[in-house]
Amino acid sequence: QVQLVESGGGLVQAGGSLRLSCAASRRIVSIGDMGWYRQAPGKQRELVAVVSRSGSTNYADSVKGRFTISRDNAKNTVDLQMNSLKPEDTAVYYCNVVTITGYTYWGQGTQVTVSA
């Protein structure tokens, strides 16, 4: 069974940066969109950023200009560069991969904590 493995979370001060990475445990056939979601305590999971097969990107308004998503189609990886972090960015971040047939994979989540 394919697993998505995330890395790069941690504790950082406000204004700092972190880079999240996500890799599949084995090759996923026909990947469509790859993205990152987050869930803060007491809140619903929300989309942070997504990148399509063609490379087009979409970001939540709250992270535009601060976060950058990128993917490597050859390696089946997706990264999220997070700059100018704010305390409100504190959440568990989840990697998401959707195949062109609509099958969805989720990572186990990685904690990002931004201190004021």
Side-chain angles (χ1 to χ4, degrees):
Q1 185 173 353
V2 176
Q3 291 183 326
L4 299 181
V5 180
E6 299 131 334
S7 60
L11 173 64
V12 66
Q13 288 187 331
S17 298
L18 284 174
R19 186 176 184 87
L20 305 182
S21 296
C22 174
S25 58
R26 58 183 179 89
R27 186 172 179 268
I28 299 175
V29 177
S30 300
I31 293 179
D33 291 347
M34 303 180 79
W36 289 90
Y37 288 71
R38 67 186 181 187
Q39 187 167 17
K43 295 188 177 181
Q44 290 188 332
R45 190 173 297 188
E46 63 176 0
L47 174 69
V48 176
V50 62
V51 55
S52 71
R53 284 169 60 95
S54 63
S56 62
T57 57
N58 190 34
Y59 296 91
D61 287 343
S62 59
V63 307
K64 283 181 181 177
R66 301 188 297 122
F67 291 10
T68 303
I69 190 169
S70 59
R71 64 187 282 173
D72 186 324
N73 290 330
K75 297 180 179 179
N76 282 185
T77 60
V78 58
D79 292 349
L80 184 69
Q81 177 65 42
M82 304 185 295
N83 298 328
S84 302
L85 283 160
K86 304 176 181 180
E88 51 263 44
D89 294 318
T90 295
V92 178
Y93 284 70
Y94 296 90
C95 175
N96 172 265
V97 170
V98 183
T99 69
I100 61 174
T101 58
Y103 193 86
T104 300
Y105 297 89
W106 288 97
Q108 80 285 356
T110 185
Q111 177 70 46
V112 171
T113 303
V114 184
S115 63

